[in-house]
Amino acid sequence: MTAVSSPPMITIRDLHKYFGEHEVLRGIDLEVAAGEVVCVIGPSGSGKSTLLRCINRLEEPTSGTIVVDGDEVTAARVDLDRVRTKMGMVFQSFNLFPHKTALGNVMLALRTVLKLDARKAEARARSLLEEVGLADKADQYPVRLSGGQQQRVAIARALALSPKVMLFDEPTSALDPELVGDVLAVMRKLADEGMTMVVVTHEMGFAREVADRVVFMDEGIVVEQGPPAEVLVSPREARTQSFLARVRSAG
């Protein structure tokens, strides 16, 4: 018997996004398999973050279709609140509620979206904080946490609804260099556990070690994609070669 391959977790077809007259995404086609880690790289302004924000409709696509776990995110009558429970998102600015503790930030969606009672929500939130190495910081407010700790709380919060997909928008770019490692370690652990992940990143080492596939974007299109060993070590396209040369010289 021929094995039947499962459908992609994410399917993007002919995705366009305009801001006024400026076309930021120019016909993106992309698939992400279940359990795959895809790192999206490219220069600033290439459309990477806009692509990520279109996947969960934080930005409204101008045209094209996006399907996540069988649900067409771009459909006119889609239940966005329900579909978004399948997607956790982590931003470069941590977006924690300053008036809530680490525990309170993680509990929020468990209480408001899943309607768990306080005892169950707290138990789940404490388990998630333990998963990201912050069990001892549950009662601390964000102002008392380092940037790296705040980002790990944000990851725990994004995991609270047991999403099928995790979207990371340059999760380490706002961190001091010595704090980056702890956040990347949590992301590595998620990858090892089989989480489907789309990661917009400048961390080439992380992309090389953890990604199943690297996608290079420039000027709103996918220029090149493939295994990290191909795209990062011996890219075919001149634009990819030029970008990586600039990254290496800056490092």
Side-chain angles (χ1 to χ4, degrees):
M1 283 178 62
T2 304
V4 179
S5 60
S6 56
M9 181 63 75
I10 302 172
T11 302
I12 300 168
R13 290 283 179 264
D14 197 26
L15 181 64
H16 293 258
K17 173 62 181 176
Y18 282 85
F19 289 107
E21 297 291 308
H22 181 48
E23 190 175 17
V24 178
L25 299 177
R26 301 191 291 136
I28 299 288
D29 290 306
L30 190 66
E31 291 185 352
V32 180
E36 187 178 20
V37 178
V38 173
C39 284
V40 183
I41 65 170
S44 297
S46 58
K48 307 183 301 296
S49 294
T50 301
L51 171 64
L52 216 58
R53 292 170 69 86
C54 282
I55 291 174
N56 65 3
R57 291 253 313 255
L58 284 175
E59 293 289 355
E60 197 65 35
T62 304
S63 64
T65 59
I66 301 169
V67 177
V68 176
D69 191 34
D71 284 303
E72 187 183 335
V73 180
T74 43
R77 300 181 189 279
V78 69
D79 182 348
L80 261 185
D81 289 337
R82 181 184 65 80
V83 173
R84 280 178 177 149
T85 64
K86 298 182 178 189
M87 296 180 269
M89 184 149 182
V90 178
F91 302 86
Q92 59 186 94
S93 54
F94 323 120
N95 291 2
L96 298 179
F97 291 105
H99 63 289
K100 290 187 176 293
T101 62
L103 185 68
N105 269 279
V106 180
M107 282 180 65
L108 189 60
L110 295 168
R111 298 279 282 144
T112 59
V113 179
L114 296 189
K115 310 295 186 191
L116 296 186
D117 65 44
R119 186 174 53 82
K120 286 181 179 172
E122 180 175 340
R124 168 82 173 139
R126 287 190 184 278
S127 170
L128 286 164
L129 286 172
E130 185 172 358
E131 198 173 315
V132 298
L134 292 174
D136 60 332
K137 301 293 184 183
D139 299 322
Q140 297 284 351
Y141 287 89
V143 71
R144 302 298 302 274
L145 300 174
S146 72
Q149 290 168 339
Q150 290 185 58
Q151 193 60 295
R152 284 187 281 154
V153 172
I155 293 172
R157 181 181 61 182
L159 290 169
L161 300 181
S162 301
K164 298 283 191 76
V165 173
M166 285 287 283
L167 308 173
F168 292 89
D169 188 7
E170 304 209 20
T172 60
S173 66
L175 301 180
D176 293 331
E178 68 270 19
L179 303 176
V180 168
D182 289 340
V183 173
L184 293 182
V186 171
M187 294 169 65
R188 279 192 189 90
K189 183 166 175 270
L190 285 174
D192 290 343
E193 292 168 355
M195 176 63 75
T196 307
M197 295 163 58
V198 183
V199 185
V200 171
T201 186
H202 289 301
E203 298 287 343
M204 297 301 152
F206 175 83
R208 192 163 43 247
E209 294 167 30
V210 180
D212 297 298
R213 182 159 41 112
V214 172
V215 173
F216 173 68
M217 286 182 64
D218 192 18
E219 297 182 350
I221 64 169
V222 172
V223 175
E224 178 169 4
Q225 58 179 305
E230 288 180 14
V231 176
L232 298 179
V233 178
S234 52
R236 299 184 308 276
E237 301 294 331
R239 276 197 272 180
T240 318
Q241 295 164 9
S242 173
F243 169 75
L244 290 170
R246 288 199 306 274
V247 168
R248 289 188 200 102
S249 65

